[in-house]
Amino acid sequence: MVKKRSYIIIGIMFCLFICMIIAVAKEKKQLVSFHAYLEKKISMSNLQLEETSYIKDKNNQIISEIQTSIHRKSLTEEKIPNFIKQVFILSEDQHFYEHKGFDVPSMGRALFANIESQSIEQGASTITQQLARNYLKSYNKTYNRKLQELFYAYELERKRTKEEILTDYVNAIYFANGMYGLEAAAEFYFDDSVAKLTKAQLIFLASIPNNPTVYNPIHHFKQTKKRQERLIDLLAANNIISKKESIQLKKEKLSLTLKTETDLYPDYTTYVEEELKQLIAENYGYTKKLQNASDKEKEIIEKQLQQEVADLYKKGITIQTALLPSIQQKAVAALNKTLAPYETEGAAVVIDQHTHQILALVAGKNYKKHDFNRSYQAYRQPGSAIKPLLVYAPYLEETKKGIYSQVNAGAYCSGSYCPKNYSGKNYGMVTIENAFIHSYNTPAVRILDTIGIEKAFTYLQPFQFQHVSENDYHLSAAVGGFSSGITPLELTDAYTTFGNDGTYKKARAILSVKDANGKEIMKWKDKSISVWSEQTNEKMRQLLKHTVTSGTAKKAYFPSTYLGGKTGTTNNYKDYWIVGLSNTQTVGVWVGRDQPSSLEAIESQSPHLHIWKQIMKR
C-alpha cells in the first residue's frame, strides 16, 4: 500500500511538472527565466555521440577500425533515405512533428499503467527522449532518469530542428551486437551501405531498436522478420506504401551477410596508435610538461595523455597513414618465409627517404596485434651498423679526407679495452674504403678516438635515439657497444640522411588526422636538420654502395641504379643487421632472439641479407 501511494505521489508531481511548463510558457518573462535556468543546468555543447575511428592506408583504404565501447558510423541528413525516416516516425513516434519533446497523453497512459503494475513497464518515449537517453548514456528505468530525460528532450527541441533531431536519432539508436546507428547496422548485417539497401532490408533493420535483445537478427532472425512484416503492414495501413508493394516486401528473401571488423596489417597499425599518442602529446603540450616533470608528476601527466587519446578516439577521427599495402605484404612475407626454419625473431622497416614516410613495418614473425612490436620497441645493440653514423661520416666531415685515404687496421688498445677485428687478424694500413666495406673494428675505434667521443656523439643528436645517453660515451660505441641500444625504426630512420644529401627529417607513419567532418585537427611540425655536408654524404654513399657490391653485404646485391648498405653483427652473434638504401627507399632489417643468445649456427645463411634483398627488389 505504501509503495503504491509513493507511485501516486510521483505521478502527481509529474503532472505538476507538466502544468508548470504550460503555465510558464504563458508568461514571456517567466519563459526566459525558465529557459535560462535550463541552459545553466543543461549544456548542449557536450552532447556528442561516440563514433568509430579509422586508420587508412596511403590509398585511402580503411585498414583498421578503432572501436571504443561501440561501433558507430554517422550519416548526414541528406544520406538518410526519407523512406526510413517515415518508418521510424510511424513505428516509434507518430506525433514527432507535433510535440515539443514529449507526448503528454502517451506519458499519462504509461504512468497510470506503471502505477497499476507497481513498476516501470511502459515508457512512452518520443524520438527526442530516446535521443536524449543515448546522449545521457543512462538506461536505468527510474523516475529520476525519466525526469532528467524530459529536461534534455525539452532543450533539444528548443535548440535543434526536427530534422536535426531525427538525423541524430537514426545515428544514435542501438541495433544489437555492438552496432549503433543505421549505417553501422547496414554494414554489419548486410555488408553494404544504407544507400544500397532495399526497402525490405531497411525495414528489417528498423525492426531491431524497439527491443535489441528480442529482435537480435543473429539469435532471433524469425522474430525480427515477424516484426518487419508488422511494420510493413503499418506502412500500408498509413498509405506510405501500397498493398501490392507490402506483399512484395514481405516476400523479399532476406539473408544476413555479416561483416567482420576491418583490422589489417597489425604490425603497422600498432605503431600508428603509438605515434598518434606522440602526436597528441606534441600538439597538446604534454611533451613539454613531461620534460621537466618529477616521476610522480609524469605518472599523472601520462594518465591525462591516455585519457586525451581515448577521448579523441570516441570522436570518430580518421588517421591517414603512409602505409603501402603492397610493400607491407612483401616485407612481412619475406621475413616470415626466411625465418620460418629458424628459432629466431626479426623486424623490418621501409621508409620513403624523400617524403620521410614510413611505408611498411614488420614487428616480428607471424605478428599478432599489440604483441611486442620489435620494429620500434626492441632496443638492440647495433653492432657495426652504427659505424656510418657515429664514426665514418663524422670523420670525413671533420677531416675532409677522401675514402681512399689511409687508416691503421692493426692492433689497438686503450687502457684495458683492446678490440679485435672480426677475423682476428691485423691488417696494417688500409684505405678508409677497405676498412668500411669489410667492417674492420680497430680502425673504427681509432677514428672515434681521433675525432673525440663527445664530438662524434653530437652527430647522433639530430636522430634523437631514445636510449642513447652519456652512459654510451666510450670507445666501444664505435663498434656498437651501447648500454641499451637502438630500435630498427630508429636506425633505419637515421640512415635516410644518406638519401637526402646529409639532411635529416624524422620519418612518420601518420600523414594527417581529421575529425568526423574531414577537417584536419593536428599535424607534425618536424623540421629538416643538416647533419653533414653534401660532399661528406656523397663519400658515404660510395662506401655504402661498395659494401653491397664487394663487401660484407654482397649477398644482398642485385642490379640497381643505386644500392648501398651496412651490415652489423654484435658480440657472440646475438644480432644481425643490415640497413641501406636505394634511390627511393631506406630499408632496415634486424634478426635476433628476444632473449639474446648466439645465432652463430645460422650466420652462413645470412637471413638478414636475404630478407633485405627481397624487400628491396621490385
Side-chain angles (χ1 to χ4, degrees):
M1 185 67 184
V2 174
K3 190 173 183 179
K4 193 166 186 177
R5 189 181 297 119
S6 66
Y7 278 109
I8 294 171
I9 293 170
I10 291 171
I12 293 170
M13 290 176 64
F14 181 74
C15 291
L16 289 173
F17 162 72
I18 299 299
C19 293
M20 178 186 72
I21 291 177
I22 295 170
V24 168
K26 292 179 180 179
E27 299 293 336
K28 184 178 179 180
K29 290 183 180 180
Q30 289 178 331
L31 181 63
V32 172
S33 177
F34 181 63
H35 288 167
Y37 174 80
L38 285 182
E39 285 178 354
K40 184 178 179 181
K41 294 293 182 181
I42 299 174
S43 174
M44 292 287 109
S45 60
N46 61 359
L47 296 182
Q48 188 173 18
L49 298 171
E50 285 187 25
E51 296 266 349
T52 301
S53 290
Y54 299 93
I55 299 176
K56 291 186 174 182
D57 65 17
K58 199 169 185 177
N59 302 319
N60 206 37
Q61 297 300 305
I62 294 173
I63 58 174
S64 182
E65 297 170 295
I66 304 174
Q67 297 181 19
T68 52
S69 57
I70 58 92
H71 183 96
R72 177 183 282 116
K73 190 175 182 179
S74 292
L75 294 168
T76 56
E77 180 184 329
E78 60 271 14
K79 289 186 177 181
I80 301 174
N82 287 326
F83 174 76
I84 198 65
K85 292 179 183 179
Q86 291 177 304
V87 175
F88 280 121
I89 290 171
L90 195 60
S91 62
E92 297 294 328
D93 187 1
Q94 295 186 23
H95 302 290
F96 173 69
Y97 287 108
E98 302 163 16
H99 62 64
K100 296 298 182 182
F102 42 84
D103 189 339
V104 177
S106 296
M107 289 167 65
R109 288 192 298 271
L111 178 64
F112 284 110
N114 293 338
I115 291 172
E116 185 67 29
S117 64
Q118 297 190 19
S119 64
I120 301 180
E121 298 293 336
Q122 296 183 24
S125 293
T126 62
I127 281 175
T128 314
Q129 285 174 262
Q130 291 181 57
L131 176 60
R133 189 182 310 151
N134 276 274
Y135 278 134
L136 293 169
K137 298 178 185 177
S138 176
Y139 306 100
N140 297 323
K141 290 186 176 182
T142 66
Y143 283 106
N144 281 337
R145 193 270 295 163
K146 291 295 290 183
L147 195 59
Q148 186 184 31
E149 184 184 293
L150 281 171
F151 279 123
Y152 272 86
Y154 181 69
E155 278 295 277
L156 282 170
E157 290 280 349
R158 286 186 58 236
K159 298 292 180 64
R160 299 182 185 178
T161 66
K162 286 288 186 180
E163 288 307 314
E164 287 172 340
I165 291 170
L166 186 56
T167 298
D168 285 352
Y169 167 81
V170 172
N171 289 321
I173 49 178
Y174 185 47
F175 286 83
N177 298 297
M179 299 297 123
Y180 288 79
L182 186 64
E183 180 69 6
E187 291 182 356
F188 179 69
Y189 293 114
F190 295 116
D191 196 18
D192 220 332
S193 64
V194 164
K196 295 181 180 180
L197 297 190
T198 66
K199 284 185 177 181
Q201 288 173 320
L202 288 172
I203 301 169
F204 183 84
L205 291 179
S207 305
I208 303 170
N210 182 264
N211 192 326
T213 301
V214 174
Y215 302 119
N216 184 330
I218 295 177
H219 303 299
H220 307 293
F221 185 89
K222 290 182 178 179
Q223 287 94 314
T224 314
K225 184 68 174 74
K226 286 179 181 179
R227 176 160 170 76
Q228 180 230 30
E229 292 179 0
R230 290 198 297 272
L231 289 182
I232 290 171
D233 289 337
L234 187 62
L235 290 167
N238 284 269
N239 299 315
I240 293 175
I241 59 175
S242 66
K243 184 68 176 176
K244 181 180 178 181
E245 186 178 9
S246 72
I247 295 170
Q248 292 173 338
L249 289 175
K250 287 180 183 180
K251 286 182 178 179
E252 183 176 320
K253 188 176 179 180
L254 297 176
S255 59
L256 301 181
T257 308
L258 298 179
K259 178 188 175 185
T260 57
E261 179 184 339
T262 303
D263 194 13
L264 306 173
Y265 315 117
D267 313 58
Y268 195 93
T269 56
T270 300
Y271 174 71
V272 169
E273 291 176 15
E274 174 61 27
E275 192 175 280
L276 179 68
K277 180 182 172 183
Q278 297 171 16
L279 181 58
I280 293 171
E282 184 176 303
N283 278 261
Y284 295 172
Y286 289 96
T287 303
K288 288 183 179 179
K289 290 179 183 178
L290 286 166
Q291 286 174 349
N292 302 314
S294 64
D295 289 343
K296 189 174 182 180
E297 289 171 334
K298 283 181 180 179
E299 189 177 333
I300 295 171
I301 295 169
E302 278 289 344
K303 286 182 180 179
Q304 292 172 341
L305 176 57
Q306 291 288 2
Q307 188 59 52
E308 194 88 55
V309 174
D311 290 343
L312 191 62
Y313 280 143
K314 293 176 183 178
K315 294 180 180 179
I317 61 171
T318 297
I319 306 167
Q320 187 84 44
T321 74
L323 174 76
L324 283 179
S326 58
I327 295 177
Q328 177 71 24
Q329 290 164 6
K330 182 168 68 170
V332 169
L335 188 139
N336 285 339
K337 182 179 179 181
T338 305
L339 297 184
Y342 313 119
E343 292 182 3
T344 185
E345 271 296 348
V349 177
V350 183
I351 298 173
D352 184 319
Q353 60 220 24
H354 300 306
T355 61
H356 311 286
Q357 296 172 1
I358 301 171
L359 306 181
L361 290 171
V362 187
K365 200 161 57 174
N366 303 310
Y367 181 76
K368 298 293 187 296
K369 194 166 187 178
H370 295 133
D371 283 351
F372 182 65
N373 191 315
R374 296 161 189 84
S375 68
Y376 77 94
Q377 290 179 316
Y379 288 87
R380 306 293 294 216
Q381 302 301 313
S384 294
I386 198 63
K387 291 175 181 176
L389 304 170
L390 181 63
V391 178
Y392 287 98
Y395 179 69
L396 295 175
E397 182 71 10
E398 292 294 318
T399 65
K400 311 302 179 187
K401 290 188 176 182
I403 64 174
Y404 298 110
S405 58
Q406 298 283 304
V407 62
N408 191 347
Y412 176 86
C413 280
S414 177
S416 60
Y417 178 57
C418 298
K420 302 293 181 183
N421 292 318
Y422 175 75
S423 65
K425 298 178 181 179
N426 295 318
Y427 299 97
M429 297 302 292
V430 298
T431 63
I432 285 178
E433 179 198 41
N434 209 26
F436 185 95
I437 70 173
H438 296 298
S439 204
Y440 297 153
N441 289 331
T442 57
V445 177
R446 274 193 174 90
I447 289 173
L448 181 59
D449 197 15
T450 299
I451 59 179
I453 294 173
E454 289 191 7
K455 183 64 178 178
F457 268 88
T458 63
Y459 284 88
L460 294 189
Q461 289 175 4
F463 308 129
Q464 299 178 22
F465 294 139
Q466 191 70 26
H467 286 174
V468 172
S469 67
E470 291 184 2
N471 294 330
D472 300 307
Y473 285 24
H474 42 69
L475 288 175
S476 63
V479 292
F482 286 79
S483 55
S484 293
I486 298 170
T487 69
L489 176 56
E490 286 181 328
L491 194 56
T492 308
D493 189 24
Y495 266 66
T496 62
T497 309
F498 298 120
N500 287 287
D501 298 324
T503 299
Y504 170 75
K505 183 179 179 182
K506 193 171 182 65
R508 302 292 188 181
I510 296 175
L511 303 182
S512 68
V513 180
K514 296 179 180 179
D515 64 18
N517 298 316
K519 180 182 177 182
E520 187 170 85
I521 54 176
M522 65 179 80
K523 61 182 179 180
W524 290 111
K525 301 172 185 177
D526 301 314
K527 295 181 180 179
S528 296
I529 303 171
S530 179
V531 185
W532 45 71
S533 66
E534 290 184 31
Q535 293 78 13
T536 294
N537 200 69
E538 184 53 39
K539 294 172 188 176
M540 290 303 303
R541 284 174 64 85
Q542 289 300 311
L543 293 175
L544 293 166
K545 179 181 179 181
H546 296 162
T547 302
V548 175
T549 56
S550 54
T552 58
K554 60 185 177 182
K555 285 185 180 179
Y557 174 77
F558 62 91
S560 178
T561 306
Y562 175 82
L563 208 60
K566 183 71 185 75
T567 58
T569 305
T570 60
N571 289 342
N572 300 317
Y573 311 96
K574 293 176 181 177
D575 303 87
Y576 291 116
W577 293 84
I578 177 171
V579 189
L581 64 158
S582 65
N583 278 330
T584 57
Q585 294 175 1
T586 303
V587 176
V589 174
W590 164 84
V591 171
R593 292 193 175 112
D594 292 335
Q595 296 299 320
S597 60
S598 176
L599 295 173
E600 186 176 5
I602 66 170
E603 183 191 15
S604 62
Q605 304 301 314
S606 304
H608 55 308
L609 300 182
H610 291 294
I611 294 168
W612 190 85
K613 183 176 181 178
Q614 290 175 65
I615 296 172
M616 274 292 193
K617 267 190 167 182
R618 294 192 177 186

